[in-house]
């Protein structure tokens, strides 16, 4: 049974700060006690480095680290050898783009993406455009940021080597038809890179079923610690791809004549001491989410979002940009009020939202405004919080927003 009031007891931030309404889950999420316990358990009980020691605590750390790879493999349905731990999805996407550029792409090859992407899924490709002479082309998206399969088919040709896009976008919450896109891209032999930052925390993600070749996500957006991310890659592709970082832990051997023999994937991508406690905490977070059930989480959030969308649509002082999307954040502006001023006003009422361009700096070319407010929900939010939010949002006006500065 999915009982939100019981679930809320697992989160110290909710218990310690009942005054706050936290609707900034697209930026980062609260951590439940089992995640905190897992991190503290490592600090207090078996702090050691990994893959280097032969004593009891080091062996225990090795096991916890390796077990997390298995947990994540179960979480996204892949082989543990296909799970690379990184610092965050930004690091994952940089490794993927750089690695593809180094080992697979050539001048004139096309990378297809959309204008709704986060900077972390655009800038690494922009660099390849400069350094390697690849071309970047944008698949059109509709007024809700959704990319349609017919447009993807039109954009595909023999020169397209990569299709890179988010499953769920971070500003409008547009859900892209990734499985159909992957199928179409593979007919042309293109690799599919999925940004899972805003989807993996909120819905069941099965990389085999989706058919993607690479995927990334961040631990901190799914109740896990900061500073940890995952790079999923099909094993044969990971084996052929060069790592960005070289150093300890990732080489099998090297000699004075500059010869380096790398370990196999995934270790060859994990140079240096990893974020061990973060990885262990991520394992606890994935276990926690799976214990709630990813389908339950998705269903609960869908209903909560629909409730929120129906209420905010009734406010005359609010422009609501993504009423047709069924998941993801509620994105809006106070009419005639600068987004940051309105977010500051909500902040003065203890409501945490994000304002700005949300790192999707070219999306304004699609929605016609580059500053919005984003209220992003998670499974621990409630209808009562939405009601309190709506009461405050109804008061957003230029006068009220400016009054908080005086
Ligand atoms: C869609 C998307 N991709 C990538 C990122 C980057 O995430 P991180 O800062 O954890 O690397 C974000 C962060 O908000 C995002 O929303």
């Amino acid at each position: 049974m999915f009982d939100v009031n019981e679930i809320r007891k697992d989160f110290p931030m909710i218990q310690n700060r009942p005054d706050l309404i936290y609707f900034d889950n697209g930026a980062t999420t609260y951590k439940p006690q089992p995640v905190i316990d897992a991190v503290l358990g490592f600090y207090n009980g078996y702090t050691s480095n990994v893959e280097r020691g032969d004593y009891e605590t080091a062996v225990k750390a090795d096991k916890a680290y390796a077990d997390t790879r298995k947990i994540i493999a179960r979480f996204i349905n892949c082989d543990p050898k296909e799970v690379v731990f990184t610092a965050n999805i930004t690091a994952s996407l940089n490794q993927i783009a750089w690695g593809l550029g180094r080992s697979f792409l050539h001048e004139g090859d096309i990378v297809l993406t959309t204008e709704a992407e986060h900077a972390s899924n655009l800038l690494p490709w922009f660099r390849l455009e400069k350094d390697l002479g690849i071309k970047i082309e944008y698949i059109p998206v509709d007024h809700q940021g959704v990319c349609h399969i017919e447009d993807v088919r039109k954009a595909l040709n023999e020169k397209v080597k990569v299709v890179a896009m988010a499953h769920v976008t971070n500003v409008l919450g547009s859900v892209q038809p990734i499985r159909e896109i992957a199928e179409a891209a593979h007919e042309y032999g293109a690799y599919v890179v999925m940004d899972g930052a805003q989807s993996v925390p909120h819905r069941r993600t099965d990389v085999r079923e989706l058919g993607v070749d690479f995927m990334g996500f961040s631990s901190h957006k799914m109740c896990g610690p900061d500073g940890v991310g995952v790079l999923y890659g099909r094993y044969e592709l990971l084996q052929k791809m060069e790592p960005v970082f070289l150093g300890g832990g990732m080489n099998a051997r090297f000699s004075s004549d500059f010869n380096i023999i790398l370990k196999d994937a995934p270790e060859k991508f994990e140079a240096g001491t990893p974020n061990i406690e973060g990885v262990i905490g991520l394992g606890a977070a994935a276990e926690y989410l799976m214990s709630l059930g990813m389908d339950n989480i998705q269903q609960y959030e869908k209903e909560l979002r629909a409730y929120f969308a129906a209420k905010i649509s009734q406010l005359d002082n609010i422009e609501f940009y993504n009423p047709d999307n069924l998941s993801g954040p509620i994105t809006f502006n106070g009419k005639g009020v600068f987004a940051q001023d309105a977010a500051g006003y909500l902040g003065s009422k203890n409501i945490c939202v994000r304002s700005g361009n949300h790192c999707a700096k070219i999306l304004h070319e699609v929605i016609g405004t580059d500053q919005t407010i984003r209220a992003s929900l998670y499974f621990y939010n409630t209808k009562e919080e939405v009601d309190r939010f709506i009461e405050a949002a109804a008061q957003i006006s230029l006068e009220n927003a400016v009054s908080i500065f005086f």
Side-chain angles (χ1 to χ4, degrees):
M1 239 284 275
F2 192 91
D3 180 344
V4 70
N5 292 320
E6 279 304 307
I7 287 168
R8 285 168 71 81
K9 292 182 190 156
D10 293 337
F11 289 82
M13 268 303 289
I14 297 178
Q15 299 308 310
N16 297 336
R17 294 299 307 268
D19 53 322
L20 293 182
I21 294 180
Y22 188 73
F23 284 170
D24 198 15
N25 294 288
T28 202
T29 55
Y30 285 171
K31 319 303 172 200
Q33 196 60 48
V35 169
I36 297 166
D37 289 344
V39 174
L40 289 179
F42 171 77
Y43 282 145
N44 295 335
Y46 59 104
T47 295
S48 337
N49 211 320
V50 283
E51 286 156 22
R52 289 154 172 81
D54 299 304
Y55 44 91
E56 183 230 317
T57 54
V59 170
K60 191 166 175 190
D62 280 351
K63 182 169 175 342
Y65 192 82
D67 281 350
T68 299
R69 236 189 267 284
K70 293 186 198 151
I71 295 167
I72 297 302
R74 194 153 40 83
F75 185 58
I76 60 171
N77 190 27
C78 67
D79 193 285
K81 288 190 305 200
E82 298 175 314
V83 174
V84 177
F85 294 121
T86 63
N88 45 42
I89 182 179
T90 300
S92 306
L93 291 169
N94 271 274
Q95 169 64 61
I96 294 165
W98 186 88
L100 281 173
R102 177 99 173 166
S103 314
F104 298 79
L105 302 181
H106 303 100
E107 188 177 347
D109 286 346
I110 296 172
V111 172
L112 282 184
T113 183
T114 78
E115 289 181 327
E117 302 308 311
H118 187 280
S120 299
N121 195 25
L122 284 177
L123 304 194
W125 304 110
F126 286 6
R127 180 157 62 185
L128 292 187
E129 196 258 347
K130 275 222 157 44
D131 291 356
L132 205 63
I134 62 147
K135 287 194 188 141
I136 294 170
E137 291 183 2
Y138 300 106
I139 307 165
V141 293
D142 68 17
H143 70 294
Q144 296 290 271
V146 178
C147 161
H148 295 273
I149 185 68
E150 310 80 61
D151 291 321
V152 179
R153 289 218 175 86
K154 270 188 224 153
L156 281 166
N157 60 56
E158 272 71 26
K159 293 299 282 177
V160 175
K161 296 293 181 253
V162 177
V163 179
M165 72 171 72
H167 192 182
V168 176
T169 64
N170 64 312
V171 181
L172 296 177
S174 331
V175 183
Q176 311 297 18
I178 288 289
R179 194 161 59 83
E180 290 82 352
I181 291 171
E183 243 173 57
H186 288 155
E187 284 172 25
Y188 288 87
Y191 302 115
V192 177
V193 178
M194 184 179 112
D195 173 342
Q198 300 292 348
S199 56
V200 170
H202 302 277
R203 53 177 58 218
R204 192 170 58 81
T205 301
D206 180 329
V207 289
R208 298 249 185 279
E209 197 180 300
L210 291 170
V212 295
D213 300 293
F214 297 96
M215 199 232 337
F217 59 95
S218 280
S219 152
H220 69 96
K221 294 187 196 289
M222 51 171 276
C223 297
D226 297 329
V228 186
V230 169
L231 183 175
Y232 156 78
R234 278 205 287 121
Y235 191 66
E236 65 274 25
L237 298 179
L238 289 181
Q239 285 292 76
K240 287 186 203 148
M241 185 183 263
E242 268 201 51
V244 172
F245 294 113
L246 304 177
M250 52 77 72
N251 72 82
R253 242 175 313 128
F254 59 95
S255 51
S256 55
D257 58 359
F258 318 120
N259 242 335
I260 311 171
I261 312 285
L262 302 183
K263 285 186 180 167
D264 286 330
E267 284 85 4
K268 74 171 178 179
F269 295 103
E270 296 176 6
T273 299
N275 182 347
I276 304 165
E277 59 273 50
V279 166
I280 291 168
L282 167 62
E287 291 275 31
Y288 180 80
L289 296 183
M290 287 190 280
S291 77
L292 297 180
M294 292 309 295
D295 291 339
N296 294 334
I297 288 173
Q298 187 181 357
Q299 184 59 27
Y300 178 82
E301 288 182 19
K302 192 174 161 193
E303 283 165 25
L304 189 60
R305 189 189 190 281
Y307 180 81
F308 200 151
K311 294 238 161 184
I312 200 167
S313 303
Q314 288 166 11
L315 299 183
D316 292 336
N317 61 330
I318 298 290
E319 182 152 12
F320 175 25
Y321 294 103
N322 53 351
D324 301 336
N325 285 338
L326 300 178
S327 67
I330 297 281
T331 303
F332 65 97
N333 265 322
K335 287 181 187 161
V337 187
F338 183 58
Q340 205 175 354
D341 292 344
Y345 175 74
L346 292 172
S348 75
K349 306 283 173 213
N350 285 341
I351 296 173
C352 313
V353 290
R354 169 136 182 228
S355 69
N357 54 42
H358 317 290
C359 298
K361 292 197 169 62
I362 54 181
L363 182 68
H364 64 92
E365 291 166 24
V366 177
I367 58 172
T369 176
D370 60 351
Q371 303 287 322
T372 55
I373 305 171
R374 179 181 76 175
S376 48
L377 308 173
Y378 211 12
F379 57 84
Y380 43 65
N381 290 126
T382 64
K383 286 185 177 166
E384 291 71 31
E385 288 180 314
V386 171
D387 292 342
R388 275 177 58 196
F389 170 94
I390 293 291
E391 255 174 57
Q395 303 305 317
I396 293 176
S397 66
L398 194 54
E399 229 176 20
N400 281 343
V402 171
S403 73
I404 64 167
F405 300 111
F406 300 103

